[in-house]
Amino acid sequence: MTEILVAYATKMSGTREIAEAIAARIRASSHEVDVLDAADVRSVLPYKAVIVGSALYAGRWRPEAVKLLQRNADLLARRPVWLFHSGPLGTEQVPQRAPRKVRDLAARIGADEPKTFGGRLTPQTAVGFFAKKMANGPMAGDYRDWDEIELWAYEIAQQLVSAR
């Protein structure tokens, strides 16, 4: 049985890449980890702990991540759960508050507010009219802080080791 699930919801693959980095760090601490698109997760029953991340667009989580939390709320309430979102652009990174629905679900399952990571918006990865326009403007770039992501994942891995 795989111990940890890292589920993600993304539009332009930046959040998937963060999820993969988190999983790699946790695997380095001798845990088995599955990385899955949130839309493909029907149940979290097989997992001892769960990490769910979503891209954050205009202050909203991707619907597939919200549905995963809603569908599995009772099971998630009985396991360690961590949440993250990515999306803020620019060099001045400020933690973003989760949408009310996600905050309510986090409270219901006993998870902290989601950790905020910077996003990525480049002409090569932009999807949709507005994203493509923005990707050619001053906010374009990759604002993900890989050291911060690594540290957060390391802290989770240490908590999982302590819980064994």
Side-chain angles (χ1 to χ4, degrees), residues 22-109:
I22 290 167
R25 178 72 207 88
I26 294 171
R27 281 187 193 111
S29 297
S30 301
H31 293 282
E32 291 183 39
V33 183
D34 283 343
V35 180
L36 298 172
D37 187 310
D40 296 333
V41 178
R42 293 294 157 241
S43 175
V44 299
L45 185 61
Y47 301 100
K48 294 179 184 176
V50 178
I51 301 166
V52 179
S54 176
L56 190 63
Y57 294 102
R60 292 189 179 103
W61 269 40
R62 302 282 303 160
E64 51 274 27
V66 175
K67 287 177 186 170
L68 184 156
L69 296 175
Q70 289 172 324
R71 252 191 332 264
N72 291 279
D74 291 338
L75 291 170
L76 291 168
R78 297 192 298 264
R79 354 179 109 54
V81 176
W82 294 267
L83 306 174
F84 73 92
H85 48 223
S86 67
L89 302 172
T91 56
E92 298 297 319
Q93 292 293 314
V94 177
Q96 301 292 304
R97 192 154 192 214
R100 176 175 289 293
K101 187 181 286 188
V102 174
R103 287 194 318 267
D104 291 347
L105 285 163
R108 180 175 167 198
I109 64 179

